[in-house]
Amino acid sequence: MDAEFWHMGGFAFYVWGAYGAAVAVFAWNLVMPRLRRRALRRALSESTTPPARAHAHGLPEPQP
């Protein structure tokens, strides 16, 4: 490609920086919800087992 395209008329730092910032925000918006969902699922699976489910699996029901 032509060097003038990459140089952007002297504004390459700002133009490519804006593209980089946009890509970083898009990546953040893709990754963070997945990480939060994974952490929430892990926390919920580690929490106490509900009584109905515990009884179905042959576990003793928790005492109040």
Side-chain angles (χ1 to χ4, degrees):
M1 293 192 134
D2 154 319
E4 184 59 30
F5 171 77
W6 294 107
H7 193 287
M8 300 279 176
F11 295 101
F13 177 76
Y14 302 106
V15 173
W16 294 115
Y19 278 121
V23 167
V25 168
F26 287 138
W28 181 269
N29 283 326
L30 289 173
V31 171
M32 288 310 296
R34 291 180 180 153
L35 292 176
R36 287 182 183 154
R37 180 177 54 208
R38 183 182 301 161
L40 178 60
R41 284 185 176 182
R42 187 178 308 122
L44 289 174
S45 70
E46 291 173 356
S47 67
T48 60
T49 307
R53 222 170 128 196
H55 186 68
H57 291 281
L59 299 173
E61 291 188 25
Q63 299 299 320

